[in-house]
Amino acid sequence: MKTFTYEKARDPAQAAALAASHKDAKFIAGGTNLLDLMKIEVETPAHLIDVNGLGLDTITPTQDGGLRIGALVRNTDLAADAQVRRDYPVLTRALVAGASGQLRNKATTAGNLLQRTRCPYFYDTAQACNKRTPGAGCAAQTPGAVSRQLGVIGTSAACIATHPSDMAVGLRVLDAVVETILPDGSRREIPIETFHKLPGQTPHIENALQPGEFITAVSLPAPVGGAQSYRKLRDRASYAFALISVALIRHPDGSGRVALGGVAPKPWRLQAADDQLPNGASAVMATLLEHANPTAANAFKIELAERTLAAMLAEE
Amino acid sequence: MKFTSPATETIFDTSTVVGKATHRVDGPLKVSGRAPYAYERHDVIDGQLVAYPLGATIAKGRILSIDTQHAKAAPGVHTIITTLEYDELPKDERNVASLFGGDKVVHYHQAIAAVVADSFEQARAAANLITVKYDIEQDLDFDLERQWQQRGTVEPVSATGDFAQAFQSAAKTLDREYRTPGHSHAMMEPHSTLAHWDGDALTIWTSNQMIAWNREALAVTLGLEEDNIRVDSPYIGGGFGSKLFLRSDAVLAALASKASGRPVKLALPRPFVMNNTTHRGETIQRIRIGTDAQGHITAIAHTAMSPTQPGGQGEQATDQTRQFYAGANRLIEHHPVEMFLPESNAMRAPGEASGLMALEIAMDEMAEVLDMDPVAFRALNDTQVDPENPKRTFSDRNFTRCLSEGARAFGWHDRPQTPASRRDGNWLIGMGMAGAYRGSPVLTSGARVRLQANGTVIVETDMTDIGTGSYTIIAQTAAEVMGLPVSAIDVRLGDSNFPRSAGSGGQFGAPSSTAGVYAACVKLREMIAQKLQMPEAELSFSDGAVHSAGEPQLIGTFATDAELVAEDKIEFGKFRSDDHIVSTFGAHFVELRVHALTGEIRLNRMLAVCDSGRILNPITARSQVIGGMVMGVGAAMMEEMAVDRTQGFFANHDLAGYEVPVHMDIPSQEVIFLDTLDPVATPMKAKGIGELGLCGVAAAVANAAYNATGVRLRDYPVTLEKLFPGLPKV
Ligand SMILES: Cc1cc2nc3c(=O)[nH]c(=O)nc-3n(C[C@H](O)[C@H](O)[C@H](O)COP(=O)(O)OP(=O)(O)OC[C@H]3O[C@@H](n4cnc5c(N)ncnc54)[C@H](O)[C@@H]3O)c2cc1C
Ligand code: SF4
């Protein structure tokens, strides 16, 4: 771990301003991802801004009938919230499919959205990784590399890592909006759809946040109803990142929404694929994963996604 | 005590303590965090510094330079040792790859430096400031598959009869290949050592299964007299074979302590457990079985290939096939292939674990070819003699009872006869079974027992407890022989100042070390008899007293003036292996369900039936077996050291990437111990149990998955996508 300085922010505006005024500053929330990465020097912030004292830990109704989730609401509390469980059950299910009870007690809404990839080469600083060191190359794409867990779509020649969050997949299928404050005090709203960035030539840029920009909340639109489910597939029954995961909202008329986790650098959802839902799992996946470009080791994720959605449709 | 002929009637046949369910005597210390593990020996010596290791980041080549300038200047740093400052250190014969010294790199994360600092964080941060230049050796082959396809012929490990001819003329045959990946021990406590020098004398507080081996190896590697080395390892947070040998933690801590003139402790970071230490090697295996029309095996051949560092053997996956099943014509071949992956070496049930993963699928497949019940096919091919040398008999082999009692207890008759024929909603249900076989070796094992005036006995032996229950079974043994309650026995383990024991490994620890303690206790009884001037045979020891013809005398009274100390060891005669094979046997049964669409496997229930001689303590023995079953589930369903085939290292080098089972993966587990006694095994008629529980489990899972889906898997782990071809289409 590199030496760093530390301070506690007083309020969100100040947090953003502080972050912009320090070189290599990072916010620290639950710390469950950031601290791990600092220990192995994948993350080397020079300055930590602790945002845990800022409140932002409540879930409140919005004017248009939705919910505003404070950035520091813990994953455990969000999953257990009665309104979330009743009106947005796909979010609760996605949350409890992630990590472990202890981790969810610490993990925050904003931190979860910003957690970094689990590509094994990203974690070994001796390995070439464009995400860690732009231009260094991508060890995961050399012949003979280990890539079973990595992405199949939305990836690039520079990076094939996935975004590992379960919660984000739930938020994506619910069309959540990320609310932020910028260092100049202005605020903006970023739809979850455009929040995470595809790698292209710049896999180190993972989201739409500007330097210093601080997430204050994530808001959910008014409930969309429907039967909501989340299914996560992995090699062991619990406490592992997804091979793939599927978030599904289905209405009695057969229409609905589908988002995938574990396949792409962001929660993967396409309107055109949603539209195929009445035609069944194969039709959805043919559209959703049409441009997939898997490795030999992870090509199975495409069939797995189709099979999983089919299972979910059958189980309703 | 010399064990030169089978045991006759012993006090253990009427035991009141040994064989009875006894909770771990060290349990309270462990659950309250008071059992001192190697990295937390804060109290043993003042002024401890902390070292952090640096590993090579290439598989093979030479180190051109190591620049420590920035690291030396980093806060808190005392000293840095680098491999270039030492000649390649001599290695003990049990190590395959050198542990430190010189400029040669032969595997990823080979230790090449260690930074000593005031704190762990400082040492780790400084280690990251070291830069290393390599001359990398290119174009190395890390592809076992390619090696297998290009394999030549080897001198057989053993050949009996005429396999080729018998196989050719067999009524029914099977010829299949199987693949098992490498496995990591992945024990909870990584290798850790605190080292301290007093002049030329070295003390290490460490985490090691084999105290005497460790001391011998340290003497060789550091060029010391054994007498000048003390090794202390009273508590060990799991080993599974990874801590059988001297590893880099102890070497680096010792050298760093010498260099800094202070006590130094070092724990290997988790990625080092995968790439710096040993692992169970990957295998490719071919099994051929020929039978007559009734299903008697007439020909059996097992060929295996496994990677190894030069000079090693790799994983000897064929071992069990030499003796498990009958058959006159046999061929065993092993191809170790030199590869510069980290060292392949012993992991729990070395040989058998991987070998049975293949053999027990092959037996299932052969039963199917014969249209026989897999249980009946195995029972038909039971043997009571060594198939390679029928003059040697199995000392006590009740494999067919394991099969029949297991089949009955599990409800095997109710299994789906045809694969993929039973369905419960979206789940396909299957049942599978496998035989288990594991040798029960023994090693000479000594102990010292010290009778105290207060009527307690201190037992000292360098035996280790790696979480297995050694403290408890040793206390039970001493209690039984001395007629005391377990609470009156104070067991002290893991110190090289104590008499040399078998240590923990190869499931030889429990039978050997308890026999050694028995020997020492018998000697103590003889000393008491001498004091009474009576033959030992005329005394009885019970309720804390010595009973002779006259008044019972409290046992403590024999130590009123001074403690009464007896020391002895058990030495096992050649008859044990010349005339017999001493082995343990079992049968595993598994019921599982496979999701018809997604291929997810969920276990419903598991049963193990074990034939292991006298069970010294049903609680700790059961815990060994169910732990082995969990490990077998891991091997079946998820555990795989993922090899980067170009760079030559294990890419999933942490516990997020290397998955082992979690609670949700494990269903209800049942263990049945046959009430067998093996008089050839030890004076206590006990055999090992620590590895048997793992043997065959993975194959039982794979066989059950086949039964559920009709997809025969011969390539572990059995992950969901491998089942797709047999599952209903979307
Ligand atoms: C063993 C393990 C298993 C796990 N398994 C899963 C799993 O199965 N599924 C899953 O989804 N996740 C899993 N996780 C990841 C876990 O969900 C994340 O670590 C957690 O959600 C991160 O939240 P945090 O508050 O601790 O973030 P932190 O570690 O504090 O921060 C993460 C990042 O977010 C930034 N940040 C935090 N708050 C803000 C803010 N308000 N505005 C702007 N930036 C901010 C930080 O600067 C940092 O870059 C696992 C983690 C571990 C350690
Ligand atoms: S896939 Fe992405 S994260 Fe992984 S090594 Fe390549 S660039 Fe790095």
Side-chain angles (χ1 to χ4, degrees):
Chain A
M1 193 182 285
K2 287 255 198 292
T3 308
F4 58 88
T5 50
Y6 168 94
E7 73 187 297
K8 267 177 137 17
R10 279 196 319 272
D11 57 63
Q14 189 230 12
L18 281 173
S21 67
H22 281 86
K23 199 173 167 306
D24 296 332
K26 279 255 170 202
F27 304 115
I28 178 162
T32 60
N33 191 226
L34 183 59
L35 288 176
D36 279 2
L37 293 170
M38 284 171 68
K39 288 174 192 167
I40 55 172
E41 297 190 7
V42 169
E43 296 272 18
T44 52
H47 188 64
L48 281 189
I49 301 161
D50 187 342
V51 299
N52 282 289
L54 298 186
L56 304 178
D57 55 357
T58 55
I59 302 170
T60 50
T62 61
Q63 281 181 343
D64 49 9
L67 284 183
R68 175 166 290 108
I69 304 157
L72 286 158
V73 171
R74 307 289 153 170
N75 286 179
T76 298
D77 298 330
L78 180 57
D81 182 84
Q83 257 174 298
V84 172
R85 289 177 59 172
R86 189 188 64 218
D87 296 335
Y88 308 94
V90 66
L91 182 55
T92 289
R93 293 195 172 120
L95 281 160
V96 298
S100 66
Q102 294 93 326
L103 284 159
R104 294 194 297 268
N105 288 343
K106 284 300 280 184
T108 63
T109 309
N112 191 318
L113 270 181
L114 294 173
Q115 65 175 291
R116 306 205 63 193
T117 186
R118 293 282 163 169
C119 169
Y121 297 92
F122 175 76
Y123 269 77
D124 185 341
T125 48
Q127 296 295 321
C129 173
N130 288 323
K131 201 184 258 305
R132 264 192 283 105
T133 316
C138 171
Q141 291 185 76
T142 54
V146 172
S147 63
R148 181 164 187 269
Q149 197 76 26
L150 303 185
V152 298
I153 195 161
T155 53
S156 71
C159 179
I160 57 169
T162 63
H163 192 272
S165 168
D166 290 295
M167 181 193 80
V169 184
L171 292 179
R172 177 73 184 92
V173 86
L174 291 168
D175 281 334
V177 174
V178 180
E179 301 181 2
T180 69
I181 185 163
L182 286 115
D184 64 6
S186 63
R187 291 177 181 266
R188 66 171 180 148
E189 296 187 350
I190 311 169
I192 185 84
E193 179 179 2
T194 53
F195 183 77
H196 293 106
K197 295 287 172 210
L198 295 183
Q201 289 308 302
T202 53
H204 59 291
I205 300 171
E206 296 175 349
N207 55 59
L209 294 178
Q210 315 259 311
E213 188 167 4
F214 175 75
I215 299 176
T216 53
V218 171
S219 62
L220 299 175
V224 293
Q228 303 191 2
S229 50
Y230 188 79
R231 194 89 141 74
K232 183 176 180 183
L233 282 290
R234 41 194 161 176
D235 292 332
R236 63 182 176 192
S238 165
Y239 202 33
F241 289 94
L243 292 168
I244 68 121
S245 66
V246 181
L248 171 67
I249 298 179
R250 200 158 175 245
H251 299 297
D253 65 0
S255 69
R257 309 171 176 191
V258 182
L260 294 183
V263 296
K266 59 189 281 187
W268 199 248
R269 180 174 163 214
L270 295 177
Q271 179 65 51
D274 285 356
D275 294 343
Q276 291 295 328
L277 205 49
N279 302 323
S282 302
V284 171
M285 291 304 161
T287 306
L288 192 52
L289 297 176
E290 185 188 350
H291 299 294
N293 181 24
T295 67
N298 68 20
F300 76 91
K301 287 189 174 192
I302 295 166
E303 184 173 351
L304 182 58
E306 183 186 340
R307 287 181 165 278
T308 304
L309 180 60
M312 293 166 81
L313 294 175
E315 275 158 20
E316 271 174 19
Chain B
M1 182 184 283
K2 291 198 163 42
F3 183 59
T4 51
S5 61
T8 51
E9 202 177 309
T10 83
I11 59 165
F12 302 104
D13 295 334
T14 52
S15 61
T16 56
V17 190
V18 165
K20 304 289 177 259
T22 307
H23 284 288
R24 284 166 195 272
V25 297
D26 51 334
L29 278 183
K30 285 186 174 169
V31 296
S32 59
R34 286 175 297 140
Y37 289 86
Y39 204 68
E40 289 125 31
R41 302 298 295 267
H42 311 298
D43 55 330
V44 291
I45 183 126
D46 288 335
Q48 298 177 20
L49 297 175
V50 183
Y52 193 85
L54 187 71
T57 55
I58 63 168
K60 187 153 194 300
R62 274 179 195 283
I63 298 174
L64 300 174
S65 66
I66 301 180
D67 182 351
T68 58
Q69 197 193 334
H70 295 296
K72 276 201 176 119
V77 171
H78 286 246
T79 323
I80 297 175
I81 57 167
T82 79
T83 190
L84 297 180
E85 296 154 10
Y86 300 82
D87 289 334
E88 184 175 329
L89 296 178
K91 61 182 168 55
D92 181 72
E93 58 184 14
R94 298 183 186 95
N95 285 79
V96 183
S98 161
L99 294 171
F100 196 64
D103 64 351
K104 272 194 299 186
V105 174
V106 294
H107 66 86
Y108 202 81
H109 279 175
Q110 176 181 318
I112 58 170
V115 179
V116 184
D118 287 320
S119 76
F120 170 81
E121 287 75 13
Q122 289 169 330
R124 184 176 56 186
N128 272 317
L129 296 173
I130 298 175
T131 51
V132 184
K133 288 212 174 71
Y134 300 98
D135 178 8
I136 305 176
E137 213 171 301
Q138 306 285 355
D139 300 324
L140 295 163
D141 195 356
F142 299 102
D143 192 343
L144 193 65
E145 196 64 51
R146 181 158 49 224
Q147 298 281 343
W148 174 252
Q149 301 306 338
Q150 298 169 358
R151 73 187 182 281
T153 51
V154 281
E155 193 55 33
V157 175
S158 74
T160 312
D162 184 345
F163 168 77
Q165 201 282 324
F167 187 66
Q168 212 192 353
S169 59
K172 302 274 183 184
T173 59
L174 180 89
D175 182 355
R176 294 289 188 201
E177 288 183 1
Y178 305 88
R179 283 159 179 79
T180 68
H183 292 148
S184 174
H185 304 82
M187 64 287 166
M188 191 127 47
E189 180 204 27
H191 306 70
S192 316
T193 297
L194 165 63
H196 168 62
W197 294 84
D198 185 357
D200 284 341
L202 171 68
T203 301
I204 61 164
W205 294 270
T206 190
S207 180
N208 194 281
Q209 301 172 223
M210 302 292 294
I211 302 303
W213 290 4
N214 207 26
R215 186 158 80 147
E216 285 168 8
L218 264 178
V220 171
T221 298
L222 299 181
L224 300 173
E225 293 297 323
E226 267 188 60
D227 287 347
N228 265 344
I229 302 171
R230 176 172 167 235
V231 177
D232 187 36
S233 183
Y235 295 98
I236 297 156
F240 304 124
S242 184
K243 297 172 181 167
L244 286 170
F245 316 114
L246 179 65
R247 300 301 325 164
S248 61
D249 59 312
V251 175
L252 293 176
L255 295 177
S257 171
K258 183 119 223 176
S260 60
R262 295 265 296 268
V264 170
K265 71 173 179 179
L266 177 144
L268 295 186
R270 181 60 67 181
F272 272 56
V273 173
M274 279 78 181
N275 279 303
N276 174 271
T277 77
T278 61
H279 67 282
R280 189 199 305 289
E282 174 184 17
T283 72
I284 299 179
Q285 307 178 41
R286 178 186 186 196
I287 293 177
R288 284 167 289 172
I289 303 175
T291 69
D292 65 16
Q294 291 74 46
H296 297 100
I297 296 174
T298 53
I300 185 163
H302 195 160
T303 306
M305 176 176 276
S306 166
T308 175
Q309 283 277 329
Q313 278 304 305
E315 188 64 19
Q316 312 236 35
T318 53
D319 279 354
Q320 71 292 321
T321 310
R322 299 179 63 178
Q323 281 139 2
F324 197 4
Y325 294 111
N329 302 288
R330 321 175 68 85
L331 178 67
I332 304 290
E333 296 172 323
H334 178 53
H335 297 256
V337 180
E338 280 187 13
M339 220 176 257
F340 293 91
L341 286 169
E343 179 175 329
S344 158
N345 211 322
M347 177 168 153
R348 197 175 193 180
E352 281 93 338
S354 310
L356 289 164
M357 285 170 81
L359 179 64
E360 289 301 306
I361 296 182
M363 290 297 285
D364 211 59
E365 294 199 67
M366 191 71 226
E368 193 175 23
V369 169
L370 288 157
D371 200 16
M372 278 181 80
D373 177 340
V375 169
F377 175 56
R378 285 173 173 85
L380 183 69
N381 287 289
D382 186 46
T383 175
Q384 291 294 325
V385 298
D386 178 355
E388 289 184 357
N389 173 13
K391 287 203 195 75
R392 286 168 87 209
T393 57
F394 280 100
S395 55
D396 186 52
R397 171 168 166 143
N398 305 283
F399 178 49
T400 55
R401 258 184 76 198
C402 295
L403 292 168
S404 58
E405 294 194 20
R408 188 167 52 245
F410 201 68
W412 180 248
H413 65 276
D414 178 43
R415 79 187 190 287
Q417 300 284 338
T418 324
S421 64
R422 187 169 296 173
R423 194 168 170 148
D424 177 8
N426 290 317
W427 295 90
L428 309 171
I429 312 290
M431 278 161 75
M433 57 82 52
Y437 179 96
R438 170 71 188 155
S440 188
V442 282
L443 291 177
T444 303
S445 197
R448 181 159 56 224
V449 289
R450 297 164 45 192
L451 177 64
Q452 307 296 301
N454 63 2
T456 61
V457 171
I458 299 168
V459 183
E460 295 174 336
T461 160
D462 84 0
M463 178 62 191
T464 50
D465 188 323
I466 61 174
T468 39
S470 309
Y471 278 105
T472 312
I473 56 172
I474 285 173
Q476 287 174 272
T477 304
E480 185 77 55
V481 185
M482 300 316 299
L484 291 167
V486 165
S487 59
I489 312 295
D490 177 4
V491 181
R492 299 177 185 177
L493 301 181
D495 188 333
S496 59
N497 285 338
F498 299 155
R500 178 177 178 141
S501 76
S504 299
Q507 76 172 13
F508 51 66
S512 308
S513 68
T514 51
V517 170
Y518 167 63
C521 288
V522 168
K523 192 157 228 177
L524 184 60
R525 284 169 58 131
E526 283 165 356
M527 289 168 76
I528 291 169
Q530 216 160 30
K531 287 202 172 210
L532 285 169
Q533 296 187 324
M534 289 189 52
E536 192 263 344
E538 284 177 26
L539 302 180
S540 75
F541 291 71
S542 63
D543 303 323
V546 181
H547 306 261
S548 56
E551 275 287 288
Q553 216 171 318
L554 285 178
I555 195 165
T557 57
F558 296 94
T560 332
D561 302 334
E563 62 173 359
L564 201 57
V565 183
E567 184 174 328
D568 200 3
K569 60 184 173 206
I570 186 78
E571 294 171 278
F572 295 91
K574 271 167 54 96
F575 82 100
R576 203 178 174 276
S577 47
D578 283 355
D579 307 343
H580 303 284
I581 304 177
V582 183
S583 273
T584 61
F585 311 90
H588 288 283
F589 293 82
V590 169
E591 184 192 86
L592 53 69
R593 60 192 193 279
V594 176
H595 194 283
L597 279 165
T598 64
E600 289 159 286
I601 301 179
R602 295 285 182 267
L603 302 187
N604 290 345
R605 56 199 180 98
M606 305 177 79
L607 165 70
V609 185
C610 301
D611 170 25
S612 253
R614 183 188 308 283
I615 298 303
L616 301 167
N617 179 348
I619 293 181
T620 52
R622 177 175 188 279
S623 148
Q624 283 300 295
V625 176
I626 62 174
M629 291 157 81
V630 171
M631 205 175 225
V633 170
M637 292 173 49
M638 65 200 76
E639 291 187 44
E640 170 170 23
M641 297 189 93
V643 185
D644 185 311
R645 301 280 172 193
T646 306
Q647 296 196 64
F649 75 110
F650 302 119
N652 53 346
H653 48 53
D654 59 34
L655 291 177
Y658 185 85
E659 291 179 20
V660 298
V662 294
H663 287 95
M664 272 180 79
D665 292 303
I666 305 302
S668 108
Q669 296 175 299
E670 200 188 332
V671 181
I672 297 173
F673 293 112
L674 297 188
D675 54 349
T676 54
L677 299 174
D678 190 336
V680 175
T682 74
M684 297 170 71
K685 307 177 187 173
K687 295 192 278 202
I689 189 72
E691 297 185 333
L692 180 67
L694 164 62
C695 295
V697 176
V701 173
N703 292 339
Y706 169 72
N707 185 248
T709 63
V711 183
R712 182 59 85 179
L713 289 166
R714 304 181 184 91
D715 180 11
Y716 290 96
V718 182
T719 47
L720 40 75
E721 73 271 25
K722 294 179 185 166
L723 295 168
F724 289 170
L727 299 181
K729 294 264 170 292
V730 169

